[in-house]
C-alpha cells in the first residue's frame, strides 16, 4: 500500500474541503442579506442594524478565535503540501477588482441598478476608504506574521478589499440581476482562497478580511439615504467605462458626455 499517495490525496481533500466551506460561508452571508426589514417607520431601527451585522460579525469573531491556533498552522501545512511548496498564482492581485469592472460594465450595458452611477461610485469610494482604514489599522496593531514571512498578516487586505467591492456589486444588482450580484462574492471568495493557497495569509486572516468587507458595505448601504448628494441627477449625460489590463498595470478608461 502506497501511504505516500494516501497522504497527498488527504491533503488535496483538505484543500477542496476548505474551499467548499469558505464558498458556503459566503453563500450563507449573501442569503442572510436578502432578509428585508418591512418596517417603514423605522428605517434605521435596531432590528435592521442587527440583521446587517450578524453574519459579518460572526465571520470576524470566528476568524479571530481561530487566529494563531494549531489547527490553522496544520491546515496551512496541508494546503501547501497539496499544491506544492513552490506554487504561486497571483489570482487575487487582479481578481479583487473584477466586481468593480462588472458593476460599471453592467451600467454601460444598461442593466438596471439600485442607484445612479454617481451614487454607486460614492458608496464604492466610501467602502474602499473605510475598509482600508480598518484593515491596515488592525495590521499595525496586531503583531501576527504571514506564513514564513515577517510582514503583517492579520487581516487580509486583498480579501477585505475584494469583499467590499463584491458587497457594492451585490447591493446594486441584487433586485434586478441576482446572478450578477452574487457572482462578485464567488470572485471574492476565490481571492481569499488563493491568499491561503499562495502561502501569503492564514485562513483566519481571510475569514476576518471577508467579514470586514461585508460589514463595512452593509453599514454604508444601511445609512446611504442620509448621504443623498448627486450633482448629475438633473442632467442628461451618458458615460462609458472601458477596463484596461496590461501586464502589471490595470485600470479603467472613462468617457462622459454632459
Amino acid at each position: 500500500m502506497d501511504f505516500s499517495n494516501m497522504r497527498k490525496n488527504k491533503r488535496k481533500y483538505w484543500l477542496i474541503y476548505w474551499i467548499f466551506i469558505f464558498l458556503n460561508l459566503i453563500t450563507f452571508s449573501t442569503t442572510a442579506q436578502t432578509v428585508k426589514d418591512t418596517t417603514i417607520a423605522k428605517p434605521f431601527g435596531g432590528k435592521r442594524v442587527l440583521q446587517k451585522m450578524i453574519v459579518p460579525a460572526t465571520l470576524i469573531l470566528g476568524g479571530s478565535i481561530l487566529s494563531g491556533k494549531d489547527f490553522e498552522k496544520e491546515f496551512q501545512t496541508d494546503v501547501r503540501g497539496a499544491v506544492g511548496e513552490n506554487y504561486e498564482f497571483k489570482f487575487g492581485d487582479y481578481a479583487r477588482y473584477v466586481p468593480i469592472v462588472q458593476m460599471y460594465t453592467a451600467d454601460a450595458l444598461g442593466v438596471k441598478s439600485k442607484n445612479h452611477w454617481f451614487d454607486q461610485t460614492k458608496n464604492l469610494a466610501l467602502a474602499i476608504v473605510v475598509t482600508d482604514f480598518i484593515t491596515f489599522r488592525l495590521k499595525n496593531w496586531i503583531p501576527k506574521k504571514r506564513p514564513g514571512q515577517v510582514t503583517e498578516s492579520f487581516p487580509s487586505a486583498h480579501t477585505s478589499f475584494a469583499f467590499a467591492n463584491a458587497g457594492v456589486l451585490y447591493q446594486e444588482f441584487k433586485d434586478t440581476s441576482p446572478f450578477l450580484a452574487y457572482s462578485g462574492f464567488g470572485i471574492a471568495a476565490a481571492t481569499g482562497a488563493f491568499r491561503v493557497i499562495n502561502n501569503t495569509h492564514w485562513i483566519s486572516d481571510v475569514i476576518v478580511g471577508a467579514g470586514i468587507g461585508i460589514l463595512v458595505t452593509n453599514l454604508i448601504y444601511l445609512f446611504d439615504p442620509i448621504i443623498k448628494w448627486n450633482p448629475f441627477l438633473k442632467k442628461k449625460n451618458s458615460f462609458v467605462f472601458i477596463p484596461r489590463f496590461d501586464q502589471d498595470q490595470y485600470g479603467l478608461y472613462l468617457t462622459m458626455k454632459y
Side-chain angles (χ1 to χ4, degrees), residues 63-76:
S64 299
I65 293 173
L66 181 62
S67 180
K69 297 296 188 295
D70 290 339
F71 170 79
E72 78 167 353
K73 296 176 182 178
E74 294 171 0
F75 180 79
Q76 193 73 27

Side-chain angles (χ1 to χ4, degrees), residues 60-76 142-147 153-155 201-208:
I60 294 171
L61 178 61
S64 299
I65 293 173
L66 181 62
S67 180
K69 297 296 188 295
D70 290 339
F71 170 79
E72 78 167 353
K73 296 176 182 178
E74 294 171 0
F75 180 79
Q76 193 73 27
I142 300 174
K144 182 182 181 182
K145 304 305 179 184
R146 299 173 189 258
S153 180
F154 185 90
H201 276 289
W202 306 95
I203 183 174
S204 62
D205 302 343
V206 301
I207 292 176
V208 173

